[in-house]
């Protein structure tokens, strides 16, 4: 099966997915081996062992219910391509959540992430689509349900590195992610809206609240912010396609983040994206319902051919 034959994925989209999966895999291995990741070594392994079979089971049930072939059938390549999103979501949850040596919070996060793709979705253009970023939703749900779980400490990404690597590693992640989004996903307008909105809310907080501009912008310098910007908020499957909508999506996420910070709510990045995705989900649902009501109440017009039939028959008869 070629890239263009994968259901729901363009050739560029599949290439981007593969590069995202490769990047997060390498980063996970390097993080636990050299960088100083604080999670247990078993955390990413358990996350993958949950994500793979759960994705296959849910896809099998969904395919049976809709009387369609399962997307993983056909070849080993089809199976690998199908499991790539689950792979990315599992490693993202394992990397960004910290529950000490306990594994169940990660299991919960991965289950929510994978399950949401089949539960929280709408039929758009005749095709079922999930509008919630899976890994972000899994992380946000875990933080809400397990109050003793937190986000991985920022220092873990460069805990065991020297001064040169402290700058080189974030720069490498930034460049790699930007290239993928610029050439493959087409999400640079979204990044511009997100970063521009983030800078705007930081300036406003510094101007009208007892916050300094340096403190409001400090989060931008962390690896977690770069990962969120280039690898999470820009998910092509759960973000708008049109450039204008992308800018609004990114700016709205930044605005909600600023409000959450003002309200002294921690983990604002993940909650903000979840709230904006929920708003987009409800807006899409309302628009879909309104369109369906309009189609029901609008009387069917007779086809143009049928309307012209009597006149044509008269001409023939004459």
């Amino acid at each position: 099966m070629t890239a263009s034959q994968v259901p729901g994925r363009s050739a560029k989209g599949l290439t981007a997915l593969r590069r995202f999966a490769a990047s997060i895999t390498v980063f996970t291995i390097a993080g636990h081996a050299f960088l100083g990741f604080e999670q247990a070594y078993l955390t990413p392994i358990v996350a993958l062992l949950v994500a793979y079979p759960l994705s296959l089971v849910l896809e099998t049930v969904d395919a049976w219910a809709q009387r369609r072939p399962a997307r993983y059938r056909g070849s080993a390549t089809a199976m690998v391509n199908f499991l790539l999103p689950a792979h990315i979501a599992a490693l993202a949850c394992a990397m960004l959540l910290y529950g000490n040596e306990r594994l169940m919070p990660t299991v919960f996060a991965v289950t929510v992430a994978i399950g949401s793709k089949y539960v929280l979705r709408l039929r758009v253009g005749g095709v079922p689509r999930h509008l919630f970023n899976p890994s972000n939703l899994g992380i946000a749900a875990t933080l809400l349900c397990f109050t003793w779980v937190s986000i991985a400490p920022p220092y873990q990404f460069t805990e065991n590195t020297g001064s040169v690597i402290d700058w080189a590693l974030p720069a490498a992640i930034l460049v790699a992610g930007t290239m993928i989004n610029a050439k493959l996903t087409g999400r640079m307008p979204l990044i511009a809206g997100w970063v521009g909105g983030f800078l705007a809310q930081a300036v406003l907080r510094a101007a009208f609240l007892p916050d300094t501009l340096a403190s409001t912008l400090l989060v931008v310098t962390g690896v977690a912010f770069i990962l969120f910007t280039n690898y999470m908020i820009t998910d092509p499957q759960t973000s708008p396609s049109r450039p204008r909508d992308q800018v609004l999506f990114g700016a709205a996420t930044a605005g909600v983040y600023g409000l959450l910070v003002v309200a002294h709510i921690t983990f604002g990045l993940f909650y903000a994206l979840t709230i904006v995705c929920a708003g987009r989900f409800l807006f899409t649902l309302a628009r879909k319902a309104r369109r369906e009501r309009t189609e029901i109440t609008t009387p069917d017009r007779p086809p143009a051919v049928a309307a012209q039939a009597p006149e044509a028959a008269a001409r023939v008869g004459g």
Side-chain angles (χ1 to χ4, degrees), residues 87-107:
H87 182 89
I88 295 171
L91 292 186
C93 292
M95 178 188 300
L96 295 174
L97 284 172
Y98 179 70
N100 208 336
E101 76 280 1
R102 299 184 182 181
L103 300 175
M104 286 310 298
T106 302
V107 172

Side-chain angles (χ1 to χ4, degrees), residues 21-42:
S23 299
I24 197 169
T25 301
V26 171
F27 195 44
T28 297
I29 295 173
H32 283 280
F34 308 110
L35 300 179
F37 279 18
E38 297 286 341
Q39 298 90 348
Y41 293 129
L42 277 176

Side-chain angles (χ1 to χ4, degrees), residues 114-309:
I114 303 301
S116 68
K117 296 172 60 176
Y118 291 90
V119 177
L120 299 175
R121 64 183 183 182
L122 295 174
R123 189 171 290 274
V124 180
V127 179
R129 287 193 57 188
H130 59 283
L131 300 181
F132 284 85
N133 183 290
S135 55
N136 182 83
L137 181 63
I139 291 171
T142 303
L143 293 172
L144 282 173
C145 295
F146 300 89
T147 56
W148 49 271
V149 176
S150 66
I151 292 300
Y155 61 79
Q156 80 163 11
F157 298 102
T158 54
E159 182 178 4
N160 297 332
T161 61
S163 57
V164 175
I165 303 299
D166 287 351
W167 288 93
L169 180 63
I173 297 173
L174 177 62
V175 171
T178 302
M179 290 179 63
I180 292 175
N181 285 301
K183 294 184 176 182
L184 299 175
T185 68
R187 290 306 187 270
M188 292 308 294
L190 195 156
I191 292 177
W194 159 246
V195 175
F198 193 93
L199 295 177
Q201 64 85 29
V203 171
L204 290 174
R205 284 166 49 203
F208 297 102
L209 297 173
D211 296 329
T212 64
L213 186 59
S215 64
T216 58
L217 292 176
L218 185 62
V219 65
V220 176
T221 63
V223 175
F225 183 87
I226 298 174
L227 291 172
F228 181 87
T229 300
N230 278 312
Y231 295 93
M232 185 166 287
I233 193 174
T234 54
D235 176 21
Q237 295 296 308
T238 57
S239 60
S241 298
R242 292 192 299 178
R244 181 192 64 183
D245 295 341
Q246 289 185 37
V247 173
L248 292 175
F249 185 86
T253 305
V256 173
Y257 168 81
L259 294 176
L260 292 175
V261 173
V262 172
H264 303 289
I265 297 176
T266 56
F267 315 127
L269 289 178
F270 304 98
Y271 292 150
L273 181 55
T274 300
I275 291 171
V276 172
C277 286
R280 183 168 175 249
F281 181 91
L282 295 175
F283 175 78
T284 304
L285 181 63
R287 185 173 59 180
K288 183 174 182 291
R290 183 177 59 184
R291 186 181 299 113
E292 291 176 350
R293 286 197 302 268
T294 302
E295 292 175 353
I296 293 174
T297 57
T298 301
D300 295 333
R301 295 182 178 179
V305 175
Q308 295 173 359

